[in-house]
């Protein structure tokens, strides 16, 4: 398959790994953060950690939008859904994320009308079909999904569909990277830049990371060869003492981003002064809210939102894992109280969550090996 097979070619992968071994300077430990949850998933899925030199440490970043959403926002969205006749629509990966009184699926089991949708346009279609009921779309995601929410709101306004609103939880990636760099317990050498977000915002917004922080950034694709090539490009820069932004994912990411998507976002959204991120706390201008011109389609401007604030369970270390300070398996609850079947934190739910990726591709493998060895013994 074009753009897949050649990026999984064993010969090319072997060459890239050899180049990485050649470029890595003996005695130097490299800490490279992959910002995007999709990259974390690919790294575990393809076992890339196992073929890299030990001194190249990949740190998982905060680029999983479900994982960084504080529990209070889930509680607020579900509280709005309790109003008579309301339909609560959200993407599938939100459905098992725990709120204080259970996940959206658990609320559904108790009688709330919760529906899975593949896009905000699907939620708007539910509103068209149910004119006597109000549909709330629980919007989530970085700049990757924000344009489709914006376009849906523009449609809703144009068609004057009043029984539809959006509970907006869209966040932006650059302030999160800034918060990570400002964190005193974090030392990083370079970044694998997010692939999906960059299809919308392009590569230019990362230039300050190279210029002001002296850290190279390479925007990467999601196949094994994409990620290995990106590491080669980062090591070449580090070896030469350079810090630039480079685009490995040119087949998808335009340097200047997607102008039409950015225009739709600017029409509908503005920056929130503050927004709380799980693990990172309040970060200024790090999230989007709906402009007053679209107030009739904004759940927060239309309804009373409880503005719940909930601390994560004490023993859960989601914050440290999100900041890359701890590896998933270093959380005290990992694999014991917290598993994909019984998640305590969102990182164990979302396919982009580092705990779920580590559990499914590394931990299960080791656990079944241990069982195999003990049955032989
Ligand atoms: S194992 Fe569970 S509680 Fe611990 S960091 Fe991961 S999701 Fe959070």
């Amino acid at each position: 398959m074009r753009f897949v097979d050649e990026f999984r070619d064993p010969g090319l992968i072997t060459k890239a790994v050899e180049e990485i071994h050649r470029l890595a300077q003996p005695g130097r430990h490299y800490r490279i953060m992959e910002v995007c949850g999709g990259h974390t998933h690919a790294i575990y899925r393809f076992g890339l950690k196992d073929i890299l030199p030990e001194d190249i440490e990949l740190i998982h970043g905060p680029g999983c939008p479900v994982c960084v959403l504080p529990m209070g926002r889930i509680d607020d969205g579900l509280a709005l859904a309790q109003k008579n006749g309301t339909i609560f629509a959200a993407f599938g990966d939100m459905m098992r994320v725990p709120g204080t009184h259970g996940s959206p699926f658990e609320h559904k089991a108790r009688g709330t009308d919760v529906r899975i949708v593949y896009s905000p346009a699907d939620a708007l279609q539910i509103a068209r079909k149910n004119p006597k009921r109000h549909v709330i779309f629980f919007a989530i995601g970085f700049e990757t999904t924000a344009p489709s929410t914006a376009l849906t709101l523009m449609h809703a306004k144009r068609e004057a569909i009043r029984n539809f609103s959006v509970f907006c939880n869209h966040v932006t990636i650059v302030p999160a990277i800034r918060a990570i760099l400002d964190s005193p317990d974090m030392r990083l050498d370079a970044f694998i830049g997010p692939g999906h977000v960059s299809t919308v915002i392009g590569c230019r917004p990362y230039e300050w990371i190279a210029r002001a922080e002296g850290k190279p950034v390479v925007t990467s694709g999601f196949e094994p060869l994409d990620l290995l090539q990106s590491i080669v490009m980062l090591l070449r820069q580090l070896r030469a003492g350079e810090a630039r932004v480079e685009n490995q994912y040119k087949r998808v990411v335009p340097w200047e981003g997607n102008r039409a998507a950015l225009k739709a976002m600017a029409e509908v959204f503005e920056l929130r002064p503050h927004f709380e991120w799980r693990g990172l706390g309040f970060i200024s201008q790090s999230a989007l809210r709906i402009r007053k011109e679209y107030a009739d389609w904004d759940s927060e401007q239309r309804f009373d939102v409880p503005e719940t604030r909930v601390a994560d369970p004490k023993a859960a270390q989601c914050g440290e894992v999100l900041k890359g300070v701890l590896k998933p398996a270093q959380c005290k609850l990992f694999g014991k109280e917290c598993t994909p079947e019984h998640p305590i934190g969102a990182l164990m739910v979302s396919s982009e969550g580092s705990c779920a990726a580590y559990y499914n591709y590394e931990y299960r493998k080791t656990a079944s090996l241990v069982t195999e060895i003990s049955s032989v013994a």
Side-chain angles (χ1 to χ4, degrees):
M1 198 191 302
R2 192 156 177 252
F3 292 140
V4 174
D5 292 347
E6 63 267 51
F7 288 91
R8 295 182 184 182
D9 182 288
L12 294 175
I13 286 174
T14 306
K15 273 193 191 154
V17 173
E18 283 168 1
E19 181 67 355
I20 289 171
H21 278 267
R22 198 186 64 74
L23 287 167
Q25 289 168 305
R28 177 164 181 189
H29 188 80
Y30 297 87
R31 289 171 56 88
I32 298 174
M33 175 173 275
E34 86 276 2
V35 175
C36 176
H39 286 148
T40 304
H41 180 94
I43 286 162
Y44 284 124
R45 179 178 170 213
F46 295 114
L48 299 187
K49 203 171 66 63
D50 300 339
I51 55 175
L52 290 174
E54 268 184 16
D55 270 337
I56 295 188
E57 187 184 354
L58 297 176
I59 315 278
H60 316 314
C64 159
V66 173
C67 307
V68 296
L69 193 69
M71 201 185 271
R73 291 295 289 183
I74 301 161
D75 288 349
D76 283 351
L78 288 167
L80 294 179
Q82 304 313 311
K83 289 182 190 303
N84 259 350
T86 299
I87 299 171
F88 177 90
F91 294 141
D93 55 357
M94 272 309 303
M95 291 296 157
R96 292 177 57 246
V97 177
T100 310
H101 308 292
S103 65
F105 264 160
E106 286 166 312
H107 278 73
K108 185 178 172 71
R110 295 198 288 265
T112 309
D113 192 343
V114 172
R115 315 245 183 127
I116 296 179
V117 289
Y118 291 103
S119 72
D122 287 350
L124 185 61
Q125 185 60 8
I126 295 173
R128 284 191 193 99
K129 285 187 176 162
N130 296 273
K132 294 209 163 71
R133 301 182 63 192
H134 189 84
V135 176
I136 291 178
F137 174 63
F138 190 87
I140 188 164
F142 286 91
E143 289 93 334
T144 325
T145 51
S148 61
T149 305
L151 288 169
T152 303
L153 283 166
M154 288 159 78
H155 274 289
K157 186 175 183 182
R158 203 175 304 136
E159 294 175 42
I161 300 175
R162 305 249 165 220
N163 64 321
F164 175 78
S165 65
V166 168
F167 186 66
C168 182
N169 298 285
H170 286 299
V171 284
T172 59
I173 197 70
V174 169
I177 298 176
R178 194 183 292 274
I180 296 270
L181 281 167
D182 287 346
S183 173
D185 44 6
M186 180 52 66
R187 187 190 67 74
L188 293 168
D189 294 296
F191 288 92
I192 296 175
H196 295 139
V197 165
S198 306
T199 59
V200 174
I201 65 172
C203 295
R204 205 174 283 289
Y206 311 127
E207 283 177 342
W208 65 273
I209 303 172
R211 206 177 39 243
E213 302 286 338
K215 317 274 183 206
V217 180
V218 174
T219 300
S220 175
F222 294 86
E223 293 298 328
L225 194 58
D226 285 320
L227 284 155
L228 295 171
Q229 274 177 349
S230 300
I231 294 170
V232 167
M233 290 160 82
L234 288 171
L235 291 178
R236 281 192 184 136
Q237 286 197 46
L238 289 169
R239 213 182 154 109
E242 295 171 354
R244 285 177 283 113
V245 181
E246 291 185 280
N247 185 7
Q248 184 277 337
Y249 203 23
K250 281 185 188 151
R251 66 188 187 278
V252 174
V253 172
W255 186 266
E256 299 292 343
N258 180 327
R259 286 178 198 279
L262 292 169
K263 193 169 166 222
M265 283 169 63
E267 153 78 22
V268 173
F269 298 122
E270 61 188 7
L271 286 170
R272 285 179 195 264
H274 297 285
F275 192 75
E276 188 183 5
W277 292 56
R278 182 175 276 180
L280 298 175
F282 281 91
I283 306 179
S284 58
Q285 306 209 315
S286 66
L288 303 175
R289 69 181 177 196
I290 296 169
R291 288 185 185 277
K292 64 177 181 340
E293 290 80 357
Y294 287 82
D296 286 351
W297 293 272
D298 180 1
S299 311
E300 288 178 274
Q301 295 185 63
R302 261 180 93 156
F303 307 114
D304 286 333
V305 178
E307 297 190 22
T308 318
R309 291 205 57 206
V310 193
D312 280 336
K314 247 195 171 144
Q317 291 175 288
C318 306
E320 285 89 337
V321 175
L322 270 170
K323 280 193 286 185
V325 175
L326 289 184
K327 302 278 185 222
Q330 290 173 312
C331 169
K332 291 184 210 92
L333 305 184
F334 181 90
K336 298 181 211 85
E337 288 89 341
C338 187
T339 63
E341 289 75 25
H342 300 285
I344 288 179
L347 288 76
M348 194 54 103
V349 180
S350 169
S351 60
E352 295 194 351
S354 52
C355 294
Y358 185 82
Y359 192 97
N360 288 323
Y361 294 110
E362 289 281 321
Y363 181 76
R364 278 197 212 276
K365 195 170 66 184
T366 317
S368 64
L369 199 64
V370 169
T371 316
E372 221 172 277
I373 292 169
S374 23
S375 71
V376 171

